[in-house]
């Protein structure tokens, strides 16, 4: 595999709500010609290519330096495109689509035989999502093709929620970046397998409760048994979302966790290490003076935390932290998805504080 392929990366700034049609047209042409375009979605930035062009999809893997075994989501703008991608569209898919599309939900269906197998890494399934971001929607409509797009980060780096993050990871490796400002949700879509009974493979922007309001039988794949991964959906390996720094994940009552984190920061400092903390804006903090703190806004659904999470990890990383200390922020609303991302960043290790 050629890992050193270089491209000159053009950046076009567009209004998030009313993107300039000329810019969208340029991007659509790049997609139609087999090129790579990074674009904003409401969850995270995507790294897009024509989903019907196997060579273009292969170039996504090269740009991300992503090993095979990690299938790619096909993005659509209209329900009519589902029939082209899926062999069979079960009634549950239409019910979920009606409830949550456009939006942060990805459905796994049986793949139509004429869709390139490389998109699904040879499996007989396909992941499909209709994003809600106006830039993504305009691009999909103008290109009039399904666009295969993983998150626009280098393999194992935190997902990109702004154009700067995309450039950090992919400058010189993609043809075009549509800079539409920061992603709103900040965490990737929920991946829901509909090939058998509905099962969540990755928690994300749509919560389990919201899915159960449509189909009560939805279950969650139990991927973690204690510290060990039990069963994995393709591409969901533990070494994912990791910063360069080591991420330490604490679980327990808030005050006890904060006290332990402060102790560990002091130990780190004494050992000549730099530490950074992901804290809530409301936390009372007593950390050593040199500790870097990223404050995450919290509301009842944890939307503030999810919106700021990946950006905060990238900031602490770029400030040269050796360790990043994070904790369980609760499991209501988006909490399950936030916990999943933190657990991956911590490579599955949890520090329990009584
Ligand atoms: O919000 C999102 O989902 C973002 C934006 C850009 O749409 N995309 C994204 O893509 O997060 P990616 O490639 O980073 O993660 C997609 C995940 C994969 O890790 C894999 O687990 C799952 O979706 N997936 C994709 N195709 C699949 C398939 N055929 N069967 C099972 N899981 C699949
Ligand atoms: Mg990803």
């Amino acid at each position: 595999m050629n890992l050193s392929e270089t491209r000159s990366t053009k950046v076009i700034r567009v209004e998030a709500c009313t993107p300039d049609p000329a810019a969208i047209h340029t991007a659509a042409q790049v997609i139609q010609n087999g090129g790579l375009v990074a674009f904003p979605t409401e969850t995270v930035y995507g790294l897009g290519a024509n989903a019907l062009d196997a060579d273009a999809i292969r170039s996504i893997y090269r740009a991300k330096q992503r090993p095979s075994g990690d299938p790619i989501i096909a993005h659509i703008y209209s329900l009519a495109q589902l029939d082209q991608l899926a062999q069979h569209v079960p009634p549950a898919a239409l019910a979920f689509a009606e409830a949550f599309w456009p939006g942060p939900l990805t459905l796994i269906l049986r793949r139509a035989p004429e869709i390139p197998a490389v998109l699904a890494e040879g499996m007989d399934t396909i992941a499909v999502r209709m994003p809600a971001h106006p830039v993504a929607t305009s691009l999909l409509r103008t290109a009039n093709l399904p666009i295969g797009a993983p998150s626009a980060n280098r393999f194992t780096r935190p997902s990109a929620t702004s154009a700067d993050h995309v450039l950090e990871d992919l400058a010189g490796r993609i043809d075009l970046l549509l800079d539409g400002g920061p992603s709103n949700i900040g965490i990737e879509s929920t991946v829901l397998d509909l090939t058998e009974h509905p099962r969540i493979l990755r928690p994300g922007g749509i919560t389990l409760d919201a899915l159960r309001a449509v189909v009560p039988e939805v279950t969650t794949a139990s991927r973690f048994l204690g510290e060990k991964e039990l069963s994995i959906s393709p591409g969901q390996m533990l070494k994912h979302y990791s910063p360069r720094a080591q991420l330490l994940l604490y679980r327990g009552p808030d005050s006890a966790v904060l006290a332990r984190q402060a102790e560990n920061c002091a130990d780190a400092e004494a050992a000549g290490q730099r530490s950074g903390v992901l804290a809530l804006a409301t936390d009372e903090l007593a950390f050593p003076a040199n500790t870097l703190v990223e404050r995450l806004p919290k509301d009842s659904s944890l939307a503030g935390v999810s919106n700021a999470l990946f950006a905060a990890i990238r900031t602490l990383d770029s400030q040269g932290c050796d360790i990043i200390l994070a904790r369980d922020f609760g499991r209501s609303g988006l909490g399950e998805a936030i916990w999943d991302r933190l657990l991956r960043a911590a490579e599955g290790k949890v520090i329990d504080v009584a």
Side-chain angles (χ1 to χ4, degrees):
M1 191 195 297
N2 173 15
L3 290 180
S4 59
E5 181 178 301
T6 56
R7 297 169 186 239
S8 87
T9 303
K10 186 173 173 187
V11 181
I12 307 181
R13 238 205 94 67
V14 289
E15 289 287 334
C17 295
T18 51
D20 172 24
I24 296 296
H25 187 73
T26 301
Q29 276 186 326
V30 174
I31 295 282
Q32 285 163 347
N33 292 333
L36 296 178
V37 176
F39 60 96
T41 85
E42 74 279 22
T43 56
V44 298
Y45 271 69
L47 166 50
N50 178 359
L52 307 180
D53 177 343
D55 287 337
I57 294 299
R58 276 186 208 104
S59 69
I60 289 180
Y61 288 97
R62 289 200 294 278
K64 273 189 73 117
Q65 297 190 317
R66 183 183 198 163
S68 47
D70 208 352
I72 289 175
I73 298 170
H75 296 71
I76 59 175
Y77 69 92
S78 129
L79 271 186
Q81 290 174 290
L82 260 189
D83 294 327
Q84 179 189 19
L85 295 168
Q87 200 177 78
H88 164 65
V89 181
L94 294 176
F96 285 116
E98 185 172 338
F100 302 111
W101 280 358
L105 177 68
T106 295
L107 301 177
I108 309 295
L109 304 170
R110 296 265 170 234
R111 181 166 50 85
E114 56 280 7
I115 301 303
V118 60
L119 205 58
E121 289 290 343
M123 293 184 298
D124 67 352
T125 54
I126 184 149
V128 190
R129 175 162 106 82
M130 188 188 290
H133 196 294
V135 173
T137 309
S138 311
L139 175 61
L140 286 160
R141 190 182 299 276
T142 306
N144 198 25
L145 288 165
I147 295 181
S151 49
N153 52 288
R154 249 232 229 158
F155 180 63
T156 80
R157 296 267 294 143
S159 294
T161 54
S162 75
D164 282 350
H165 299 164
V166 177
L167 287 176
E168 246 171 57
D169 285 13
L170 298 172
R173 313 183 71 88
I174 59 178
D175 300 296
L176 178 64
L177 162 62
L178 290 175
D179 174 359
S183 288
N184 191 14
I185 297 175
I187 259 182
E188 304 88 339
S189 62
T190 300
V191 177
L192 182 65
D193 186 352
L194 294 181
T195 57
E196 290 172 29
H197 61 272
R199 198 168 58 116
I200 295 177
L201 301 182
R202 175 179 75 178
I206 301 286
T207 64
L208 174 63
D209 285 348
L211 294 172
R212 282 190 172 157
V214 177
V215 176
E217 291 75 31
V218 175
T219 58
T220 298
S222 50
R223 270 172 294 118
F224 300 105
L225 182 63
E227 243 93 290
K228 234 175 129 242
E229 193 148 4
L230 182 64
S231 72
I232 50 171
S233 117
Q236 294 283 290
M237 62 237 298
L238 267 181
K239 175 94 184 132
H240 213 130
Y241 308 109
S242 27
R244 297 183 190 96
Q246 186 188 3
L247 191 135
L248 304 177
L249 180 57
Y250 297 74
R251 180 168 52 191
D254 284 358
S255 56
V257 163
L258 287 168
R260 174 72 70 81
Q261 287 182 327
E263 236 175 79
N264 290 166
C265 285
D267 293 346
E269 200 174 310
Q273 286 191 321
R274 183 124 217 230
S275 37
V277 182
L278 296 173
L280 291 180
T282 47
D283 284 338
E284 293 281 340
L285 300 180
F287 287 99
N290 282 343
T291 308
L292 297 165
V293 177
E294 279 291 309
R295 296 236 179 207
L296 306 171
K298 187 189 171 194
D299 54 34
S300 59
S301 71
L302 290 170
V305 173
S306 93
N307 171 273
L309 187 72
F310 287 136
I313 292 176
R314 278 182 184 258
T315 300
L316 292 177
D317 226 12
S318 67
Q319 288 171 324
C321 287
D322 301 294
I323 55 172
I324 295 175
L325 297 85
R327 73 166 194 270
D328 189 356
F329 293 114
R331 304 297 173 81
S332 63
L334 292 165
E336 210 55 60
I338 292 165
W339 173 251
D340 172 85
R341 305 310 186 269
L342 287 173
L343 193 59
R344 287 173 196 291
E347 296 180 27
K349 292 194 283 289
V350 178
I351 300 168
D352 276 306
V353 184

